Amino acid sequence: MKSSLKKSLYTTLGIVLLLIGWVVISSIIKNSDMIFPSPLKTFEETLLLLKKSYTYACIWESVLRTIIGFSISFVLAFVLGTLGGNIPNIKHVISPLMSVLKSIPTASIVFLFLVLVGAKNSPIVMVGIISLPIQYEAVLRGFENIGKELKDAARIDGAPLITRIVKVYIPNITPYVLVGIVSSFSLSFKIEIMSEVISGTTSKGLGSIIAACQKSDPTNMVPIFAYSLITIVIVSLLSLILYILEKRFTVGKNN
């Protein structure tokens, strides 16, 4: 209890220091609305935006595209991770691809997929590409941490591969998979919004509306900061929810 309270106090202190720094920077900069709006103006604008139904439509579209791209990536990661975790040669074949996906500049390939799949779909593809290596490594790590004795016992029993995957492998790799989901989903949401901004798509989305605000009035950063604040809150809430689910599952499994 004392440890939890101590963590909460330090977290609160960190938030307060962050706000103080924000206020100081904003007060130093002349014409701050054009560059670095104050917290007060940002919060006021955020409240105004939250009263508009269009804001929630943009939030939903961004979340939906993130979920679609993330789900496709998850299926691919699970299939490739299962193959790589059970067949070492396949793991070596997949390894260069994952290394390339991890190191490739994100901004540069947005333009490539902007041409290939269009402005509306490029954020979905970007989410899949960025999250795939993280999820693949989580699945692969899960299989590699399953004891050889357990794998051999499942094979000796003569169970088909699909039965071994469902009844033996999945329960044992789930904690690792959940860690991969927690690690990559928030990043995927941020990548999706960045892709919307770069692609300049006119469809609904937080990134799209941020780009539209910048184009319509480059001298006013207040709405951009407000939409960014909304994004930060959403990412934080999603991260917290996934973290709680991961911890509850892990604790429940250990017990």
Side-chain angles (χ1 to χ4, degrees), residues 221-241:
M221 288 290 292
V222 176
I224 295 177
F225 266 57
Y227 279 115
S228 299
L229 180 61
I230 291 172
T231 302
I232 291 170
V233 171
I234 293 172
V235 170
S236 299
L237 288 175
L238 289 173
S239 299
L240 179 61
I241 291 170

Side-chain angles (χ1 to χ4, degrees), residues 21-23 25-27 29 31-38 221 225:
W22 186 353
V23 171
I25 295 174
S26 178
S27 61
I29 298 175
N31 300 320
S32 61
D33 287 358
M34 297 175 57
I35 303 173
F36 205 88
S38 68
M221 288 290 292
F225 266 57

Side-chain angles (χ1 to χ4, degrees), residues 59-183:
I59 293 172
W60 168 245
E61 288 293 329
S62 291
V63 171
L64 180 61
R65 280 194 283 266
T66 302
I67 291 174
I68 293 173
F70 192 84
S71 299
I72 295 172
S73 173
F74 178 81
V75 172
L76 287 173
F78 186 82
V79 172
L80 295 176
T82 300
L83 292 172
N86 290 277
I87 308 173
N89 289 337
I90 292 183
K91 181 181 75 171
H92 297 315
V93 171
I94 297 173
S95 178
L97 172 62
M98 294 302 162
S99 297
V100 169
L101 292 181
K102 285 191 293 184
S103 58
I104 193 169
T106 305
S108 63
I109 58 174
V110 170
F111 297 106
L112 170 63
F113 289 106
L114 182 60
V115 175
L116 293 176
V117 300
K120 186 176 181 179
N121 295 319
S122 59
I124 296 175
V125 177
M126 289 303 303
V127 167
I129 288 176
I130 297 302
S131 63
L132 178 58
I134 301 173
Q135 296 190 74
Y136 166 78
E137 289 184 357
V139 176
L140 183 64
R141 194 179 304 115
F143 276 106
E144 290 177 341
N145 280 277
I146 296 176
K148 186 177 182 300
E149 297 80 6
L150 184 59
K151 289 182 180 179
D152 291 341
R155 290 194 188 97
I156 292 172
D157 287 342
L161 178 60
I162 186 65
T163 302
R164 297 202 302 269
I165 291 173
V166 172
K167 292 188 176 181
V168 178
Y169 298 155
I170 289 181
N172 284 278
I173 70 170
T174 298
Y176 298 92
V177 172
L178 288 174
V179 171
I181 291 174
V182 172
S183 302

